[in-house]
Amino acid sequence: MNFALGFKPPAAGGSGPGDAASMEKLEKQLICPVCLEMFSKPVVILPCQHNLCRKCANDIFQVSVVPASGGRFRCPSCRHEVVLDRHGVYGLQRNLLVENIIDIYQQQESSRLVKVKSEQQQQQLMCEEHEEEKINIYCLSCETPTCSMCKVFGQHKDCDVAPLSSVYKRQKTELSDGIAILVASNDHIQAIISQMEEVCQTIEENGRRQKEQLVDRIDSLVAILEDRKRDLVGLIAKQQDEKLKYVRSLIHRHGDHLEAAVKLVESAIQSMEEPHMALFMQVLKSQQMQSSYLPRPEVGYESMSHFNINTDDVAEMLRNMDFCLGDDGEEDPEEGGGDSEPDYCSRY
């Protein structure tokens, strides 16, 4: 860059570099994180001890408020949630200490600027090639400040130039507009973040409610299966008892018949030893051996195979049980509100 800084020592009593640096550090502490400018009174202090212009706090509250959030917004510095009362941002406490510091700073800064302006009048950017010429134009082609002699006789004679002051004002305006757009974008992003945080809370609540409903329905199905199992097992046990009772009664009857037959055989054997024919005939007449019919269980009576149940279809249905989808094959988006319960479908 073809210019140098011509400097004349400031008069006694002028502000030094240390004073300017101190004022600059103080100014950084007095910058609002929202508008990026010095706090404008009244200044409010948040519960997290950060400060905001009341106007900026109100702007954040108006932008970030959503139907479910109530009187809440988040501190732009630390993201701490600020809960407002019925007075809104006007219920926040004013930071009178910061306001007093701003007044003192502005007074000192005003005095300092007067001194700096006086000092700046004693120094001027001068062209390195033409030491007597001031830097007063801007080369648009090379994008650098220069002097009039460089334009007429020097290396910028074939370049497009413009007055330095007009380029300075235009660039400064564009930068200011860019800062304003960035601040507005930051506010919008902050509002989006707050809304997405609310969406996260809603998702968590919806997921918890749907899981509870699913568990309740599955438990209901299990209870139905347990009740039906108990009923069917009861039917099997009832017929088992009836068959056992019948067969055991037949066993008892056949046992009685067998005992009587054994006694009859013993008596007949004794009769065979009777030597007198007349007595033998009398005994034989009283001991006529008669065969009687006793019932027996039918073939296959012991089978219980008629208590057969086919659970393949039910098992397949349970394995394929899934959430019902809409007509377009997508999940129903209207799950956030109301007490509606999801449907569970079987797919084959």
Side-chain angles (χ1 to χ4, degrees):
M1 187 175 292
N2 58 343
F3 59 89
L5 180 63
F7 177 76
K8 296 180 180 180
S15 59
D19 294 337
S22 299
M23 295 298 288
E24 184 177 356
K25 290 180 180 179
L26 178 59
E27 182 180 3
K28 289 181 179 180
Q29 301 300 319
L30 299 176
I31 295 298
C32 174
V34 178
C35 62
L36 302 180
E37 297 180 358
M38 185 174 294
F39 290 117
S40 59
K41 297 188 292 185
V43 180
V44 295
I45 183 170
L46 305 179
C48 56
Q49 302 304 307
H50 289 112
N51 298 288
L52 294 176
C53 309
R54 181 188 286 171
K55 179 181 180 301
C56 294
N58 188 58
D59 291 342
I60 293 178
F61 173 66
Q62 296 296 332
V63 171
S64 63
V65 66
V66 293
S69 65
R72 302 169 184 265
F73 71 96
R74 294 188 181 275
C75 171
S77 297
C78 67
R79 307 277 300 145
H80 177 78
E81 187 176 59
V82 180
V83 180
L84 302 177
D85 59 16
R86 60 186 180 87
H87 300 291
V89 296
Y90 294 92
L92 294 172
Q93 182 179 358
R94 290 180 62 178
N95 195 334
L96 299 179
L97 176 60
V98 172
E99 293 181 5
N100 292 335
I101 293 174
I102 291 174
D103 292 337
I104 297 173
Y105 169 82
Q106 290 176 342
Q107 293 174 2
Q108 293 184 355
E109 182 68 6
S110 177
S111 301
R112 189 183 70 85
L113 290 176
V114 171
K115 295 179 180 179
V116 170
K117 185 176 182 180
S118 176
E119 293 173 1
Q120 288 178 343
Q121 291 176 353
Q122 303 177 33
Q123 53 184 330
Q124 179 67 41
L125 292 176
M126 308 300 289
C127 181
E128 291 181 348
E129 296 182 5
H130 309 93
E131 297 179 356
E132 300 298 326
E133 293 294 325
K134 298 178 180 180
I135 301 298
N136 57 2
I137 62 176
Y138 185 82
C139 179
L140 300 176
S141 302
C142 302
E143 298 183 349
T144 183
T146 186
C147 72
S148 301
M149 293 300 291
C150 288
K151 169 59 180 172
V152 177
F153 302 106
Q155 58 180 341
H156 300 287
K157 62 182 181 180
D158 296 327
C159 299
D160 296 329
V161 298
L164 182 62
S165 59
S166 63
V167 176
Y168 165 78
K169 292 179 181 179
R170 184 176 69 253
Q171 294 289 343
K172 194 170 184 179
T173 300
E174 291 177 357
L175 179 60
S176 177
D177 293 342
I179 292 174
I181 293 173
L182 182 60
V183 170
S185 176
N186 291 343
D187 294 340
H188 180 65
I189 293 174
Q190 179 62 48
I192 293 176
I193 291 174
S194 299
Q195 291 176 355
M196 288 191 292
E197 288 176 348
E198 295 293 335
V199 170
C200 288
Q201 295 178 0
T202 303
I203 290 174
E204 291 178 353
E205 178 62 25
N206 287 341
R208 181 193 60 79
R209 183 173 60 251
Q210 296 304 106
K211 286 189 286 187
E212 290 177 353
Q213 292 175 355
L214 175 62
V215 170
D216 290 341
R217 289 202 171 189
I218 297 298
D219 289 344
S220 298
L221 292 177
V222 172
I224 293 173
L225 289 174
E226 289 292 339
D227 291 342
R228 191 56 182 160
K229 180 181 72 173
R230 184 174 57 252
D231 294 342
L232 296 178
V233 169
L235 291 175
I236 296 175
K238 180 181 179 182
Q239 188 163 109
Q240 176 187 359
D241 293 341
E242 291 177 351
K243 287 191 173 187
L244 288 174
K245 182 179 179 181
Y246 174 68
V247 174
R248 285 169 180 165
S249 68
L250 292 181
I251 291 174
H252 182 69
R253 291 175 61 184
H254 280 265
D256 292 344
H257 180 75
L258 178 61
E259 184 180 356
V262 170
K263 291 179 179 180
L264 183 59
V265 170
E266 292 176 352
S267 177
I269 292 173
Q270 292 177 359
S271 299
M272 291 291 291
E273 297 176 355
E274 178 61 47
H276 301 286
M277 291 184 293
L279 292 176
F280 174 78
M281 295 303 297
Q282 288 180 354
V283 172
L284 182 62
K285 183 177 180 180
S286 63
Q287 295 180 350
Q288 291 292 333
M289 299 181 65
Q290 299 179 354
S291 61
S292 60
Y293 171 76
L294 292 177
R296 295 174 57 187
E298 299 176 356
V299 177
Y301 183 76
E302 70 281 2
S303 174
M304 302 287 283
S305 60
H306 57 285
F307 289 107
N308 182 34
I309 181 170
N310 186 355
T311 60
D312 293 342
D313 292 342
V314 177
E316 185 67 18
M317 181 184 67
L318 292 176
R319 277 192 292 269
N320 290 277
M321 184 172 60
D322 201 349
F323 301 104
C324 286
L325 302 180
D327 295 336
D328 56 355
E330 297 181 356
E331 295 183 0
D332 187 0
E334 298 179 358
E335 67 169 359
D339 297 329
S340 60
E341 297 183 355
D343 292 331
Y344 305 99
C345 303
S346 296
R347 299 178 184 171
Y348 295 93

